[in-house]
Amino acid sequence: SEQYGGDNCEIDCGEHGEIGSSNGCVCESCFAGERCDIPRECGAHGRCLIGVCVCEAARYGGSQCEVDCGPHGLSVHTYSGGACVCQSARYGGERCEIDCGQHGTIDEDRRCVCDSERYGGERCETDLCDRLDCGAHGSCGEMGKCVCDTTGYGGEHCEICPSVLAQLEEDLPGMSVGQ
């Protein structure tokens, strides 16, 4: 293989090319240009290998590693370019940028759905029990509401003592006082 060609060796194909049959340069697969001196562009997250961009991590994709699926996504190649597949149901969005936290999953409308009524907030980040005072006779349950212990206390915050609760139930038959 020859790097120089032409009648007076005036064609220089550089270190990444050789003279072809028509006295033009034939470049290595990762180089282009008249002198084979232009490397194939693979963006900031890839490098050319045998004429194809190989991305440095699974989160990058596309023909030039230009698609970044973020730390929670994996890039997959499609006919129209790169697309992202999120690593778990807690992540969503085009680039897996929506994080529903440890207590939620993403729905088809790209909104977080909390896995129990105990959690709320846009990203299921709020434990409703953190703000709930169930007193000495109750604890916060899965629904984010007080569950009174077995000592007979009742009420929304387990604040009604057993004797008052019994009187209320006697005075208001059929009414639930929240136990």
Side-chain angles (χ1 to χ4, degrees), residues 97-117:
E97 72 279 4
I98 302 170
D99 182 355
C100 294
Q102 296 177 350
H103 304 290
T105 55
I106 196 94
D107 70 7
E108 62 274 353
D109 295 323
R110 295 184 179 175
R111 288 183 300 210
C112 293
V113 177
C114 302
D115 55 19
S116 85
E117 291 184 32

Side-chain angles (χ1 to χ4, degrees), residues 8 61 161:
N8 298 315
C161 70

Side-chain angles (χ1 to χ4, degrees), residues 23-66:
N23 263 346
C25 292
V26 176
C27 302
E28 292 175 3
S29 60
C30 291
F31 290 87
E34 279 186 29
R35 298 187 59 224
C36 301
D37 57 353
I38 302 170
R40 168 130 188 231
E41 182 59 46
C42 290
H45 301 289
R47 61 184 179 89
C48 184
L49 186 66
I50 314 172
V52 177
C53 286
V54 177
C55 303
E56 65 185 29
R59 72 184 262 183
Y60 299 106
S63 63
Q64 295 182 333
C65 302
E66 74 281 5

Side-chain angles (χ1 to χ4, degrees):
S1 68
E2 299 268 337
Q3 176 181 342
Y4 298 96
D7 293 338
N8 298 315
C9 294
E10 72 277 5
I11 301 172
D12 179 2
C13 295
E15 62 183 88
H16 299 290
E18 57 185 52
I19 295 296
S21 58
S22 60
N23 263 346
C25 292
V26 176
C27 302
E28 292 175 3
S29 60
C30 291
F31 290 87
E34 279 186 29
R35 298 187 59 224
C36 301
D37 57 353
I38 302 170
R40 168 130 188 231
E41 182 59 46
C42 290
H45 301 289
R47 61 184 179 89
C48 184
L49 186 66
I50 314 172
V52 177
C53 286
V54 177
C55 303
E56 65 185 29
R59 72 184 262 183
Y60 299 106
S63 63
Q64 295 182 333
C65 302
E66 74 281 5
V67 176
D68 182 356
C69 295
H72 308 294
L74 301 172
S75 176
V76 293
H77 290 285
T78 64
Y79 288 111
S80 60
C84 297
V85 174
C86 301
Q87 292 177 349
S88 82
R90 84 180 241 193
Y91 302 106
E94 191 173 311
R95 301 284 181 251
C96 302
E97 72 279 4
I98 302 170
D99 182 355
C100 294
Q102 296 177 350
H103 304 290
T105 55
I106 196 94
D107 70 7
E108 62 274 353
D109 295 323
R110 295 184 179 175
R111 288 183 300 210
C112 293
V113 177
C114 302
D115 55 19
S116 85
E117 291 184 32
R118 178 176 172 159
Y119 296 94
E122 190 175 318
R123 303 279 184 252
C124 302
E125 74 282 3
T126 305
D127 185 344
L128 301 176
C129 290
D130 287 348
R131 294 189 229 150
L132 189 62
D133 180 10
C134 297
H137 301 287
S139 61
C140 186
E142 266 307 298
M143 305 294 265
K145 297 183 172 140
C146 290
V147 176
C148 301
D149 61 24
T150 59
T151 59
Y153 278 78
E156 189 175 336
H157 300 282
C158 304
E159 75 282 10
I160 303 173
C161 70
S163 60
V164 173
L165 192 60
Q167 185 62 50
L168 283 171
E169 288 176 347
E170 191 176 297
D171 293 344
L172 305 168
M175 296 292 290
S176 173
V177 190
Q179 288 186 355

